[in-house]
Amino acid sequence: MTRLIVVRLLFGALTLWAVSLVVFAATQALPGDAAQLILGRDATPERLAVLREQLNLGEPVAVQYMQWLQGIVQGDLGTSFSNRRPVAEYLASPVQSSLTLMGLSALVATPVALAVGAFSALRRDRAFDHTSSMGTLIVASIPEFVVGILLILLLGPGGLDLFPSVYARQGGPDQWILPVLTLSLAVAPPIVRMMRATMIEVLESEYVQQARLKGMSERLVLWRHAAPNAIGPVAQVVALQLAWLAGGVVAIEYLFNFPGVGKVLMDAIANRDVPLIQAVVLLIAGIYILVNLVADVIGLAANPKVRVANR
Amino acid sequence: MTQENTPDDTTALLVDGLTVIGRPSDVEIISGVSITVRRGEILGLVGESGSGKTTLGLSLLAHCKRATEISGGRVEVAGADLATLSEQGVRALRGRAVAYIPQSPASALNPALRLRTQLREALHDSSLSAGEVSERVREVLREVALPDDDAFLARYPHQLSGGQQQRVAIAMAFIGRPDVIVLDEPTTGLDVTTQAHVLDTIRRMTRDYGTAGVYISHDMAVVAGLADEIAVMYQGELVERGRTEEVMAAPGHEYTRRLLRAVPLLRTDHRPEESAPEEEPLLRVRGLSAGYGRTTVLEDIDVSVSRGECVALLGESGSGKTTLSRSVVGLHHQFSGEMLFDGARLATGSYRRTAEQRRRVQYVFQNPYEALNPRKRVRDQILGPYRHLVGRPQDPDAVVAEALERAALSASYANRFPEQLSGGERQRVCIARAVATKPDLLVCDEITSALDVSVQAEIVALLRNLQDAGMALLFVTHNIALVSNIADRVAVLNKGRIVEYGPVGEVMSAPEHEYTRALIADTPDFAPQGA
């Protein structure tokens, strides 16, 4: 199993490298003069010269890329154009906020979605199952920022006035509630549906029937016999959804004026702040790969055949 | 009915007027079934698939599959009526008063749990201390002739052989010393040698424990050797019941007689060979070795099949017989050695064979429930390979009708979907699909093992007709009785090597290899007098 994990890790690193190529190609190595493109109407000969110098545009593309990559590997993400601060330092606080937001959403959404899915499978074709099935379908079919707007209208100051709808630096912890709720609702439906489908399959299996015929209580049947066999397939979907959070957080942060990487990315795009864009996109890709890697490992660990084979 | 329900103190199980209906259609799946089983005895419950025998078996534990329910009758075990008990009450009795041994332990043992967990939890609700539970687990493992050490208990089901898995399932059922044990075709997936050991274990355990057994099976041969009493199910009703010797000697119901006739008898008489194999056989395999990755499965195989001849490949699961047949048809690529078909070399993969070679060698798969595309009509299933290998037919209806006729089905089946067919009909469609291209060699991979004994007999008769019409058959099976009835020559495979090869009459009457002798000895001894 260790070998399998190492192989997965290597593939993860390879994917990240491929992403860095794409990011670099899309931002800096485009045909034409990148400096001209970035500065647009603000271009003056002096500023163009400074920027060309900073991006090493005089060098061949391969050398530019190697220098850029070397910087990133050493933790040097470059200097932001718009505020002249090192990108790494500038990003520290938003990254922390965003990761907290994503982490909270994952902690809320995953267990609730798994429980709802498992319970739907147990109550198959009964009221609870139909309700959750309708509910997840409706939520899944609405874009997440619309869900956010609806929540603001319903629970925000304009509606029931339960929670603040805009993040403010000096606000209390309740200002986290609506962003977390919105992201959780966006992430949960596919997990609920996958958990339900997998659990139904597992509950119909002969080993679950055998457990019942042995006189196990429904609680033991569900948690000891059924759940471990559902983890593998469901982990993949959970990972996809949580990885989606890394990108999905962008629109939601904008909606709630939340000071995270999403907002930084929006601003960076508006300012054509290339080093910042490169760093944020790489970061999102990195989270994506990492979460999927964790899911792969969980999927492998949940399979006793793999667990035993390479010990 | 040859016996009345007269319960006395030796009665362990009493079922009276049990009826199970489907929801919401209210169709009776089993109607008014009454049986009694005494302590230490085994009742053989026989019938074909769909006769309701598994439904009956499960309802003895008050378990109903989805959308079915017990609508009437009594199931008395250990003085309690399971049909009327609460869910809680039934749960307390399961495992201790009545236990279940499943058909396929490979799917009934939880793949994610260690044997220790699965065995220990079968002793739920008992008053034993943790140490006593461990002691009991070890004791029952010894009784089914399995290792009782910690390393074994720490294993997962996939680390056991099929026979060991079934022993674990038996141990799991007996661990709580139940009064009644329900066995649902527990030897179906096992080869004869393992089956003989498992049946032996079951017989001994029921006697030692004084447990009443209900043994569900479609195979009269197995039941005849094991059961004290036989009950025959047909379309949800009990049509015959009596002591085994009486039912075997004088079956009262027409359906019972049909079941008895359908059992292939092991023929060990010496028959003269009908004709010597011709000079150049249709298929000649010489010095073939095959494997997967670095594992070698087959070594040094020599087999030949002549025109119009049936050659059987006989062996247990894991002997390499399916690998050999897949190599012949081009589905398994990793083999070396000589393979000549009608004088021309056959390439390792089917892609590298000519269309004509592929047309002339066809394959019928083991499981007809998986070998047919559920979304295509029979007509399209048959025409698919035909169009691919022969070309667009002038008159597709005639092609389909002829293929169906050769498989003994009427042309009216052409518009059906697989789900509208029974298991036997599905396998006939598979055969029709294979013979549509008029092949010279038909490779049959265990094609009867997923079917009821009564249906097996029909399929075998069908194959014999095809053979009489000049087709050569390579018949892969683990059923030695079947081989003795259908094959002209037989190759016995053991651990990837052919240990015996010759005319079937000679091999059966004077087996030279010890392995062949063991196979013949382990086959259930079955001799119906009245049939």
Side-chain angles (χ1 to χ4, degrees), chain A residues 124-125 204 206-207 209-218 224-226 228-229 302 304-305 307-308 311, chain B residues 58 61 63 65-66 91 94 100 102 104 107-113 118 121-122 124 156 158-159 172:
Chain A
R124 186 177 168 192
D125 291 336
E204 299 262 290
E206 284 184 41
Y207 52 81
Q209 172 178 304
Q210 183 68 21
R212 289 191 169 130
L213 291 178
K214 271 157 82 180
M216 301 286 98
S217 67
E218 277 301 300
R224 188 189 284 172
H225 285 266
N229 289 293
K305 284 189 192 169
R307 205 161 57 214
V308 174
R311 233 196 327 212
Chain B
L58 288 173
L61 290 96
H63 180 82
K65 294 233 175 203
R66 248 178 101 69
R91 194 180 301 142
R94 283 183 186 162
Y100 184 80
S104 150
S107 45
L109 294 176
N110 194 320
L113 298 178
Q118 304 198 44
E121 70 178 8
H124 63 98
Y156 288 98
H158 76 270
Q159 296 170 299
M172 210 156 83

Side-chain angles (χ1 to χ4, degrees), chain B residues 341-355:
Chain B
F341 182 73
D342 205 6
R345 209 184 133 266
L346 279 178
T348 48
S350 59
Y351 288 115
R352 287 189 274 159
R353 296 182 183 178
T354 66

Side-chain angles (χ1 to χ4, degrees), chain B residues 146-203:
Chain B
L146 283 175
D148 64 346
D149 52 291
D150 285 335
F152 186 79
L153 282 166
R155 287 202 200 176
Y156 288 98
H158 76 270
Q159 296 170 299
L160 307 180
S161 72
Q164 284 178 319
Q165 287 175 340
Q166 194 53 281
R167 281 159 194 278
V168 169
I170 293 172
M172 210 156 83
F174 276 101
I175 198 166
R177 303 179 190 277
D179 302 280
V180 176
I181 202 150
V182 179
L183 307 102
D184 191 358
E185 310 213 28
T187 62
T188 305
L190 307 176
D191 46 62
V192 280
T193 310
T194 319
Q195 167 174 298
H197 290 165
V198 167
L199 289 179
D200 220 37
T201 311
I202 290 169
R203 175 79 270 189

Side-chain angles (χ1 to χ4, degrees), chain B residues 137-368:
Chain B
V137 166
R138 288 178 206 280
E139 184 186 9
V140 78
L141 280 180
R142 286 194 294 274
E143 284 169 352
V144 295
L146 283 175
D148 64 346
D149 52 291
D150 285 335
F152 186 79
L153 282 166
R155 287 202 200 176
Y156 288 98
H158 76 270
Q159 296 170 299
L160 307 180
S161 72
Q164 284 178 319
Q165 287 175 340
Q166 194 53 281
R167 281 159 194 278
V168 169
I170 293 172
M172 210 156 83
F174 276 101
I175 198 166
R177 303 179 190 277
D179 302 280
V180 176
I181 202 150
V182 179
L183 307 102
D184 191 358
E185 310 213 28
T187 62
T188 305
L190 307 176
D191 46 62
V192 280
T193 310
T194 319
Q195 167 174 298
H197 290 165
V198 167
L199 289 179
D200 220 37
T201 311
I202 290 169
R203 175 79 270 189
R204 185 168 46 76
M205 297 284 275
T206 42
R207 215 170 24 222
D208 291 354
Y209 280 74
T211 301
V214 175
Y215 190 98
I216 299 169
S217 177
H218 65 87
D219 191 343
M220 267 289 194
V222 170
V223 170
L226 180 75
D228 302 289
E229 225 181 289
I230 288 182
V232 182
M233 293 277 292
Y234 183 60
Q235 293 182 349
E237 286 182 41
L238 208 61
V239 294
E240 178 153 8
R241 192 174 134 221
R243 302 303 291 181
T244 302
E245 319 81 64
E246 291 163 21
V247 173
M248 298 298 284
H253 196 271
E254 169 53 28
Y255 177 69
T256 317
R257 280 196 285 277
R258 235 169 68 206
L259 275 181
L260 286 171
R261 271 200 305 273
V263 177
L265 299 181
L266 179 60
R267 291 171 58 184
T268 51
D269 52 329
H270 184 84
R271 280 162 284 163
E273 241 183 300
E274 282 170 15
S275 60
E278 48 186 302
E279 294 289 299
E280 181 57 41
L282 183 65
L283 175 79
R284 176 183 285 284
V285 176
R286 245 193 313 231
L288 178 133
S289 300
Y292 297 86
R294 267 175 243 155
T295 328
T296 308
V297 180
L298 289 169
E299 250 179 298
D300 203 19
I301 301 291
D302 292 336
V303 174
S304 65
V305 185
S306 301
R307 281 162 225 280
E309 186 189 35
C310 175
V311 174
L313 286 177
L314 178 67
E316 297 181 352
S317 46
S319 61
K321 56 191 193 304
T322 293
T323 306
L324 179 53
S325 63
R326 287 171 63 89
S327 300
V328 168
V329 84
L331 286 172
H332 182 71
H333 301 190
Q334 206 188 331
F335 67 84
S336 58
E338 192 184 48
M339 195 185 290
L340 294 176
F341 182 73
D342 205 6
R345 209 184 133 266
L346 279 178
T348 48
S350 59
Y351 288 115
R352 287 189 274 159
R353 296 182 183 178
T354 66
E356 185 61 6
Q357 281 177 333
R358 278 181 278 149
R359 178 188 74 75
R360 294 177 65 187
V361 183
Q362 290 290 321
Y363 198 86
V364 183
F365 290 89
Q366 175 168 14
N367 192 341

Side-chain angles (χ1 to χ4, degrees), chain B residues 121-142:
Chain B
E121 70 178 8
L123 281 174
H124 63 98
D125 297 343
S126 75
S127 53
L128 299 179
S129 69
E132 286 168 325
V133 167
S134 298
E135 198 29 61
R136 177 69 190 132
V137 166
R138 288 178 206 280
E139 184 186 9
V140 78
L141 280 180
R142 286 194 294 274

Side-chain angles (χ1 to χ4, degrees), chain A residues 150-165 178:
Chain A
L150 289 177
L151 284 178
I152 291 174
L153 290 176
L154 191 67
L155 305 175
L160 298 172
D161 199 12
L162 294 174
F163 313 111
S165 62
L178 283 183

